[in-house]
Amino acid sequence: MNEVIHNAFGLTITSGNSDTLLANGNIQSARKWGKNELNLGADFTYGENDDDKTADSQRAYVQYNRLFTERWFAYARVEGLHDGIADIDYRV
């Protein structure tokens, strides 16, 4: 059984002629056992420029792969998205 977790986070703040804030992050996890693979992931982005929101999104997914051979597999995936700037409340 193999399991791998990756994550990244960032924060940028500037001050001067304009005050900006940008925060983002993501996390991904993968697990493999036998002929099965499971992938999970989530990310977010948030930004402001002079107190006006410029970015606001969150996304998450789950994917299951069933391996038949080294080249053939089937998968199922569910993904959700929210984007406040694009006015997307949810998408699945």
Side-chain angles (χ1 to χ4, degrees):
M1 183 177 342
N2 297 331
E3 187 169 338
V4 178
I5 298 175
H6 297 281
N7 52 42
F9 299 96
L11 177 64
T12 304
I13 301 172
T14 63
S15 182
N17 291 338
S18 63
D19 296 326
T20 63
L21 165 74
L22 178 63
N24 58 34
N26 84 21
I27 186 166
Q28 296 180 349
S29 177
R31 184 175 186 184
K32 298 179 181 183
W33 70 102
K35 295 187 177 217
N36 305 291
E37 297 177 344
L38 182 62
N39 298 293
L40 308 169
D43 60 61
F44 76 93
T45 301
Y46 181 81
E48 289 183 358
N49 185 3
D50 290 329
D51 295 326
D52 292 327
K53 196 183 301 185
T54 58
D56 179 18
S57 67
Q58 301 85 39
R59 180 181 71 96
Y61 72 89
V62 175
Q63 180 170 325
Y64 170 77
N65 300 334
R66 175 65 180 181
L67 308 175
F68 301 118
T69 68
E70 288 185 17
R71 295 181 148 207
W72 291 92
F73 68 96
Y75 74 93
R77 182 178 176 106
V78 175
E79 185 170 346
L81 169 70
H82 167 80
D83 190 326
I85 301 299
D87 198 27
I88 299 171
D89 289 330
Y90 63 89
R91 179 181 295 165
V92 177

